[in-house]
Structures are given as structure tokens and as C-alpha cells.
Amino acid sequence: KIICTTALVLLSTTSFYAQKQNTLLWEISGKGIEKPSYLFGTIHITCDATLKPKVIDALNKTERLFLEFDMTDPEMATKMMGKLQMTDGKKISQLVTKEQAEKIDKFLKENFGMPLSYVDTYKPFFFQSLFYTKMISCPVQSFENELMKITKEQNEKVYGLETMESQLAIFDKIPYEKQIEDLNKMLESIEKKDFSEMEKLITLYQDENLNDLMKIISESDLQTVNQFNEDLLVNRNKNWVPIIIEKSKEQATFFGVGAAHLAGENGVITLLKKQ
């Protein structure tokens, strides 16, 4: 369960960029595409992942689902476990103060029934993914899960634009110390029960208001990801676009990726339009 949670919110910290049109669903058509495909921006953790009628209609018109990576892969947990360990024998308890380690230990015991000693060698982003699920005052729901549920009901298959291993490898480029900074800030927010920022994000997402989403994220105290925007967003967007074009030409396809990837000069929408 914890592994699935980590996979679900792997890139929940990515930033948003403004797009003129306030919509999360885009139709893909053009040269060489016989039937339209669709691009949908998701948010990885939310209180209500109910799909709007227009999204369900797009799923009904398509024949397969592409997510950032294939979350139906039966070997997902095994693959992830092999990528979670820090290198050089480092431990979380060595990267934080004694007081911070005690707080993390308490959090893990109270919320996941395990002490820090069980996962002390895991990379900081693993802990961040767990913390995110406790930064909203409601049971966590996922748009990815809803998309996969309908895809399964339609007897269609789920694929990935990239592998989970390649997504995890991105975090190896972010110094552990940088990840720890955000981890401690998140823990502080949880202790204070200050979930205002996440609640605002969820509300704006539901309103499909990408402009204000961008503003809130840009003002966030969690700045680690913004420093590695090239690796987390831009390069991946550029890698995805040829795949999206190729798959759209093959058959009507529904693409569901984090809303952070949609807009901006190097967003998937702009890159697709250029093609």
C-alpha cells in the first residue's frame, strides 16, 4: 500500500504554468490523425476525483489509456523497491537533526505503523510522498485510479509514456539535502495542521484555473522542484511529445498526465501545436 501511495504522488510537487484557456481537457487532431485523441491534466492527490462528463466522454471515444507510467504493472512494487535506497550508505537520521528524526519516526508510526528505522536508508522523496497524503483533511483520491477504473471496465489497456524507473531516476539529480529541506517544511505544516495551500490547489484544480494554480505554486515555500524544473518537466515533456504524436496516429488514445506538464512555452500543449 505504501509503495502504491509513493507511485501515486511521485511528482505531486511539480509546479504549474499559466495557459490562457482554463481547461484541463484538450483534443488532439491534425495531420496523420484519423480520429481525435485527448490530453487530460491530472492532480495526483485530491479529495474528490470524480471525472467530469466531458472527460468520461473522451474516454468513451478512445481505445486505450496512457499515463506518465503504467501503474497497472504487476512488477511496479518490486521495481520501485530497487530504486528507493540512498547511495553511499546514507540515512535519513543522519541528514536531519535528532529532533527532526524523532518527529519523522512518530509520524511514520502513527500514520503507517512503521518506525523510521525500517526505512531509514530510503531517499527523502519517499517520505515526501507519504507526507503529501496527510496534507489534505480528507481521504486521498486519485484521478489516475479513476481513469484506470474506467479503462478496465472498457476492457482496454493502460500504458506509460515513460518507465517508472526513469521517473524515479530524476530524483537522483536532486541533492538529498535539498529534498530534506522540503521534507522538514512539509512536516512542520502537518504539525500545525496548516493545509491551506494544498486545499487552495485542489479548489483551483477543480475550477480548472491554471493561472491561479501557477501563482500559488510559485509563491510556495516548497521551492526544491522549481530549481530542477528542466529535469522534472521540460525534458520529459519533450520526450513525451513524439510518443503522443505517434500513438495518436495509430489509434484514438487518452493521455492523462500531471497538469503541470500541460502549459507554458515548453508545455505539452505548445509543443504539440508546433508539430
Side-chain angles (χ1 to χ4, degrees), residues 215-249:
K215 182 179 179 181
I216 285 185
I217 290 294
S218 65
E219 295 173 352
S220 173
D221 288 335
L222 303 179
Q223 295 298 320
T224 300
V225 176
N226 293 330
Q227 298 179 30
F228 296 89
N229 179 65
E230 197 78 12
D231 293 312
L232 286 164
L233 291 178
V234 176
N235 292 340
R236 295 170 65 217
N237 292 347
K238 292 179 179 179
N239 290 337
W240 290 351
V241 165
I243 300 173
I244 292 174
I245 293 174
E246 176 188 354
K247 301 305 178 183
S248 296
K249 289 181 178 180

Side-chain angles (χ1 to χ4, degrees), residues 6 11 23 34-35 53 68 70 104 116 125 174 213 219 226 251:
T6 305
L11 292 183
T23 181
E34 295 184 4
K35 295 182 179 180
E68 293 184 22
D70 180 7
I104 295 172
L116 174 59
F125 82 81
I174 303 176
L213 272 172
E219 295 173 352
N226 293 330
Q251 65 187 106

Side-chain angles (χ1 to χ4, degrees), residues 1-14 42-46 49 67-71 76 80 125-126 128-130 132-133 136 139-148 164 167-168 171 257-258:
K1 181 179 179 181
I2 291 174
I3 291 296
C4 290
T5 298
T6 305
L8 177 63
V9 297
L10 195 56
L11 292 183
S12 293
T13 55
T14 47
T42 68
I43 187 170
H44 302 302
I45 55 174
T46 185
L67 299 174
E68 293 184 22
F69 63 86
D70 180 7
M71 295 182 66
M76 182 178 70
M80 182 171 286
F125 82 81
F126 168 78
Q128 289 177 337
S129 68
L130 299 184
Y132 261 104
T133 65
I136 56 175
V140 173
Q141 295 187 28
S142 159
F143 279 97
E144 283 79 7
N145 283 343
E146 292 303 309
L147 294 173
M148 290 189 291
M164 186 196 65
Q167 204 175 99
L168 286 170
F171 290 89
V257 302

